[in-house]
Amino acid sequence: MTDETPYLAVVGMAGRFPGTPDLAGFWAALVEGVDTLTRDHGPAHGLVVDGDKFDAGFFGYAPSEALLIDPQHRVFLQCAWEALEHSGYDPATYPGVIGVYGGSGDTGYAETLRQHRSRFPDVSELQFRIAAGVDFLTSRVSYKLGLTGPAVTVQTACSTSLVAVHTAAQALLAGECDLALAGGITLHVPFPVDEVEDGIISPDGYCRAFDADARGTIASDGAGIVALKRLDDALADGDHVHAVVLGSAVNNDGGGKVGFTAPSVDGQAAAIRAAHLVSGVEAASIGYVEAHGTGTPVGDPIEVRALTKAFGRGGSCVLGSVKATIGHTDAAAGVIGLIKTVLALENELIPATAHYRAPNPLIDFAASPFEVRGTATPWPRGPEPRRAGVNSLGIGGTNAHVVLEEAPVRPAVDPGRPYQVFPLSARSSTALTSVARRLADHLGDEPLADVAWTLQAGRRAFAHRGFVVGGDRDEVVRALGKVTAKVVDGERRAAFLFPGQGGQHVGMARELYAHEPVFRAEFDRCADLVLPELGVDLRTALFGLDTEAGAARLSTMDVGQPAVFSVEYALARLWMSWGVTPSVVAGHSLGAYAAATIAGVLSVPDAVALVLERGRLLGSLPDGAMLAIPLPENEVTPLLGTELSLAALNGPRQCVVAGPVSAVDDLRRRLVEDGVEVRLLRISTAAHSSLVEPVLNGYERRVAGVRLHAPEIPWISDRTGTFVTAEEATDPAFWSAHLRETVRFADTLDTLLRHDDSALVEIGPGRTLTGLARQHPARSADRTVVPTMPHPADETSGPHVLMTAVGTLWQAGVAVDWEAVHEGERRYRTPLPTYPFEGRRFRLDLPDDEPDAVEDVVTSTTPTEAAVAAAFGTILGLREVDVDDDFFDLGGDSLLAARIVALLRRDLGAEVVVRSLFRAPTVAALARLIDGEEP
């Protein structure tokens, strides 16, 4: 790490603040210069709204265990998740090591639990200690979020959370972790409004930091967490850097003061000077200091004396304190002050210090560089970087100081492809609606590609999924108002379907060629192989300005067939580069060549050679025609006579007949007279008919000249409707028969739809195969079928269709490599709204509204199942338990398993042990085990 800068980046933040639940509300209150304290119930205090709410299911807790856990731990856990999301990271996919550093206030929750012991039958003293002990605050976060870095609990009274930030910073610089969460929390449920500390709490209910009328502080609850990374890493990873941590220092006053709780000028000044030294900055370069600033008549003057001793008398620096706005949040105070300062740097505004009117006469501001302001102060960027300090002091003498600097200016970004896909997910449909609404309300002038990237790479993919596609803010906001949700029940693979000739047109794949480098490279590869053999550049034919000449060329077999193959192959490779590798492939007529190439049967040069030969031979045949007839095969076959052939069976009532033009026209007239709505296809050659028989031997000899391989990916034949064997794939006669015999794509779809639950993806121009698959009787209503290119008549652009396909597949459970989707782009994470937790209230001061037992609402079939389900419900705090419910999925763990075992031994006399639950975790399985049956 010697080549790296010793600086850190604040890449994410989260918190709970008195009177406001999030960062946006917190900053709004600071800008307005008003406090957010509660004064309508007893003495003024800072109340965290809904601090008793917790989304237990999100973190895998049973309701009974959630009630047991200290509210501070619950809220800190939620804030930790939010801080990671605000950073743009999902802990499950983060490639490095994440550490957690934090501390909490002394709220006496363990004693409160003991006072309500009757609500926790069979809960041991050890379980009380684990549920409420300060030692377990950070390790609980690591356990529930799967973090493997250090989990360190810090306790230094009021300076706890800023000391946690310092400790995290040292761990990052030492390489102990790659991302660190640091902060603290103080939270009472309910808030103890009757407990007042004489001499500290302001008697008039206002915290007037540094003011002449200062009488004391206000007791408050609050929480804050910052996410930190090494600055070099953050810049390299495209993180949003809110501010830079230049350095920090922590010390203790020692014994050189009048009492244990008394502050020390020398001790505080030493910590501040040490932070300046570590940061490598002059005090005069610091334009703002967020002070400890409790508003006490003695504490504020001592702090300013210490700051002045460290800074010297010269220069000019604004001094402020967040406690005037939200009160003193104890263990969370330091990190909340840090968050305020980061927001001030980022928003280029120093908020007013609320209630400041005139300076405290005991503070000699004239002999210091400091000034307190009662109005907000613009703080724009200038030629020199703006810097700030954050000061935090703990009772007992542990002092902490952090030096911040403005974030580097982010360079201009590549806007990316014209349309982006914005994936959204949640654990419930109502939460998904909230996710969409929050995002719509949030969107501003952020680059949409960065918003999409953050959602794609920085959010956990939950079961309830939706997505929108858009090219500008207004389009995205409109789409977010009508998100369609789908529930994913597991990961799903994709099946590639390659259409035949007929959908080609001038401009086909033009935007793909322009915006997708992988597609462009693979198409160029094919076009370069075609050019010397055909004398036609497919790029000119498809993308050239002379559309009339291009259309004429594409209408011929010798140009149209390699053009379609090249587009389909390149598009398939694009999808595969995005992590969507097919579990099975199938093609329709010409599409079989792209399918075989992707399956590994043909190399690209050999496939192009065969397609060119196929196109040349078909183009040399006498003119023919093809007629689509909406009748079943058994009604069409008697109409064929000697000249016509059944070219394709696309569905139960979708046949295509081919043959000489006159014979096809005669059949067309007869069917029209009978009221059948037939359609003449725009193809001038009668493939898959007797007209191709003269060229079959020559084609078979050409196939024998290339190397054929066994399929590496399962390939379903459109001739037989079965999986192609190695013997078939490598037999030239198989390929000549494919040119002549009926395309039985209905049978292909039948095999495919019954094979697995893969999402069906049409890889090629148009929606023909998409329509056939959706109409097939074997397709279930929820089976995903999606086109990836527009029909020539579609007004929707190609990139929009492609991104819609990406979103649809992801929504169906198909894994997408989002990093590969943005390959070659420089994308940045951007702060977005975090998960909308759906919490319910958990508190001990309210009557227990949970049933003592759940026998009446248990779905069971035997007395043992009823007893096991009742035990599950009682211990886990659930109203309803089904026989197939899994104990661990419901939030159980080994400690709760011990309580289940004790209850079953008591009620059933059963000889069960904790291991029994791991062996048989469902109600039904455990009941069978107890009854002496195999689970």
Side-chain angles (χ1 to χ4, degrees), residues 106 285 415 470 650 661 664 792 910:
D106 182 5
S285 69
N650 291 327
V661 174
V664 170

Side-chain angles (χ1 to χ4, degrees), residues 34 55 68 96 143 155 321 323 370 376 496 544 564 569 687 731 741 827 908 915:
V34 298
D55 193 338
L68 190 66
Y143 172 64
Q155 295 298 146
S321 172
K323 295 178 180 63
F370 300 107
F496 284 3
V564 170
Y569 174 75
D731 182 0
E741 295 180 16
R827 296 269 63 90
L908 295 178
R915 188 182 304 168

Side-chain angles (χ1 to χ4, degrees), residues 98-431:
I98 302 177
V100 190
Y101 303 81
S104 56
D106 182 5
T107 63
Y109 192 73
E111 183 56 35
T112 304
L113 285 173
R114 296 184 184 96
Q115 294 170 5
H116 293 83
R117 181 177 286 277
S118 62
R119 296 180 65 173
F120 303 99
D122 305 315
V123 174
S124 67
E125 180 63 26
L126 173 61
Q127 288 171 288
F128 280 159
R129 287 170 52 199
I130 292 174
V134 295
D135 293 344
F136 308 109
L137 175 75
T138 54
S139 54
R140 178 168 277 114
V141 171
S142 292
Y143 172 64
K144 282 299 179 179
L145 302 190
L147 313 182
T148 58
V152 180
T153 296
V154 176
Q155 295 298 146
T156 62
C158 315
S159 60
T160 289
S161 56
L162 204 63
V163 173
V165 170
H166 169 80
T167 307
Q170 300 309 302
L172 284 165
L173 295 174
E176 294 175 356
C177 57
D178 303 297
L179 189 155
L181 300 176
I185 183 170
T186 298
L187 182 69
H188 302 78
V189 176
F191 193 92
V193 293
D194 296 331
E195 298 179 14
V196 177
E197 295 289 340
D198 293 337
I200 298 177
I201 301 301
S202 172
D204 65 0
Y206 292 89
C207 178
R208 297 182 171 88
F210 310 113
D211 192 79
D213 294 329
R215 296 295 181 270
T217 196
I218 304 295
S220 294
D221 284 345
I225 294 179
V226 293
L228 304 173
K229 289 180 69 176
R230 291 179 287 271
L231 177 61
D232 291 339
D233 291 347
L235 295 176
D237 295 341
D239 296 328
H240 181 96
V241 178
H242 299 270
V244 175
V245 178
L246 296 180
S248 61
V250 169
N251 73 357
N252 191 273
D253 294 336
K257 53 185 181 179
V258 297
F260 177 70
T261 61
S264 164
V265 171
D266 290 341
Q268 293 178 27
I272 298 165
R273 281 198 299 263
H276 291 171
L277 182 64
V278 168
S279 303
V281 301
E282 297 293 332
S285 69
I286 295 173
Y288 174 70
V289 169
E290 172 64 25
H292 191 64
T294 58
T296 56
V298 176
D300 285 358
I302 290 177
E303 183 178 12
V304 175
R305 284 171 56 198
L307 284 164
T308 301
K309 186 172 184 179
F311 273 69
R313 295 174 178 267
S316 176
C317 184
V318 178
L319 189 66
S321 172
V322 73
K323 295 178 180 63
T325 300
I326 64 169
H328 193 341
T329 54
D330 191 24
V335 74
I336 291 179
L338 180 75
I339 290 172
K340 171 195 168 181
T341 309
V342 170
L343 291 172
L345 284 165
E346 193 165 37
N347 290 281
E348 302 184 19
L349 181 76
I350 300 174
T353 295
H355 310 305
Y356 183 79
R357 300 293 180 269
N360 184 332
L362 299 179
I363 300 175
D364 188 2
F365 281 114
S368 80
F370 300 107
E371 174 189 2
V372 182
R373 295 177 181 175
T375 57
T377 303
W379 198 17
R381 287 180 180 266
E384 298 298 327
R386 294 166 302 140
R387 293 173 180 150
V390 182
N391 210 37
S392 190
L393 316 171
I395 290 178
T398 299
N399 311 301
H401 195 84
V402 173
V403 179
L404 299 174
E405 185 175 277
E406 64 185 23
V409 176
R410 177 175 285 184
V413 299
D414 173 6
R417 53 177 58 84
Y419 289 91
Q420 302 291 334
V421 58
F422 303 84
L424 312 169
S425 74
R427 297 184 71 254
S428 72
S429 58
T430 53

Side-chain angles (χ1 to χ4, degrees), residues 71 121 211 262 268 313 324 393 487 537 552-553 568 577 587 671 710 848 887:
D211 192 79
Q268 293 178 27
R313 295 174 178 267
L393 316 171
V487 180
D537 192 329
R553 285 173 172 170
E568 291 181 355
S577 76
L671 290 172
D848 185 5
F887 172 74

Side-chain angles (χ1 to χ4, degrees), residues 779-847:
R779 182 218 172 208
S780 60
D782 61 348
R783 186 66 170 265
T784 298
V785 184
V786 61
T788 57
M789 291 181 66
H791 186 274
D794 286 351
E795 294 183 0
T796 307
S797 73
H800 193 288
V801 173
L802 182 65
M803 289 297 103
T804 299
V806 173
T808 301
L809 292 179
W810 174 84
Q811 187 181 35
V814 177
V816 176
D817 184 344
W818 297 113
E819 187 171 349
V821 171
H822 294 279
E823 181 69 29
E825 302 176 19
R826 177 54 168 163
R827 296 269 63 90
Y828 294 93
R829 291 173 176 82
T830 189
L832 298 175
T834 55
Y835 190 85
F837 291 118
E838 296 183 298
R840 54 160 281 196
R841 299 193 186 281
F842 291 94
R843 52 193 302 161
L844 295 171
D845 61 317
L846 297 179

